[in-house]
Amino acid sequence: MALPKVGSIGEYIREQRQQAKISLRQLAEAAGVSNPYLSQIERGLRKPSAEILNQIAKGLRISSQVLYVQAGLIEDREPPSDVITAIRADAHLSERQRQVLIDIYESFRKETRAEDEQTSQNARPRHASDPDDEPLPEEYLAALEPYAAPSSNGNVTQETKEG
């Protein structure tokens, strides 16, 4: 997950709070911390614990992992995808909308990775010399015919159709 570069975790929290249009008092109440303490965090005078960061993330309705990375408590593991970068850059979305879109996108990616792992575990490499490597049935070949052309040796090869 790529994060915008800011000077400190406090600046980042203030920026997220302002984008979410939440007052300092509202966020302090939602996070269960005092107004002065949250103000000190935002000004860089105090360094919040992981537990406080988690409470602030809930108050901001953002991922606590984002705050942990920004605070340097954990490392950012994956380079950002172009999709996530585009979502974060869209000025027409609220912070909450951005986070929901990113969460949905990441859940799809996680699901796809799990499916890919399952497929790779069930698959075995196939070689041209495998005895069970049978040709496709005629009805499949007929369905593929508009997308294929015979080669010089009579086998069907893939051909792209231009529109």
Side-chain angles (χ1 to χ4, degrees), residues 84-143:
I84 292 175
T85 302
I87 291 170
R88 290 195 185 283
D90 192 331
H92 299 293
L93 297 173
S94 70
E95 185 57 34
R96 178 73 181 137
Q97 290 169 328
R98 284 186 196 114
Q99 192 58 49
V100 168
L101 285 171
I102 289 169
D103 289 345
I104 292 169
Y105 176 71
E106 288 177 342
S107 73
F108 286 149
R109 290 184 64 194
K110 183 178 179 181
E111 186 178 301
T112 301
R113 279 193 298 270
E115 289 172 359
D116 289 347
E117 287 175 14
Q118 183 67 30
T119 302
S120 67
Q121 289 174 359
N122 294 339
R124 67 178 180 87
R126 294 187 57 112
H127 302 286
S129 61
D130 281 350
D132 62 349
D133 196 12
E134 299 173 14
L136 290 173
E138 287 298 320
E139 61 269 13
Y140 292 153
L141 290 174

Side-chain angles (χ1 to χ4, degrees), residues 5 16 48 65 70-71 85 89-90 97 107 127 130 144 155 157-158:
K5 299 297 179 200
Q16 295 302 306
Q65 181 181 359
Q70 187 68 25
T85 302
D90 192 331
Q97 290 169 328
S107 73
H127 302 286
D130 281 350
L144 293 172
N155 293 335
T157 59
Q158 186 175 358

Side-chain angles (χ1 to χ4, degrees), residues 1-12:
M1 241 185 278
L3 300 173
K5 299 297 179 200
V6 295
S8 71
I9 183 63
E11 289 176 28
Y12 183 77

Side-chain angles (χ1 to χ4, degrees), residues 48-66:
S49 67
E51 184 177 326
I52 297 296
L53 285 174
N54 188 40
Q55 292 171 235
I56 291 171
K58 285 181 184 176
L60 290 170
R61 295 183 176 162
I62 63 173
S63 165
S64 55
Q65 181 181 359
V66 170

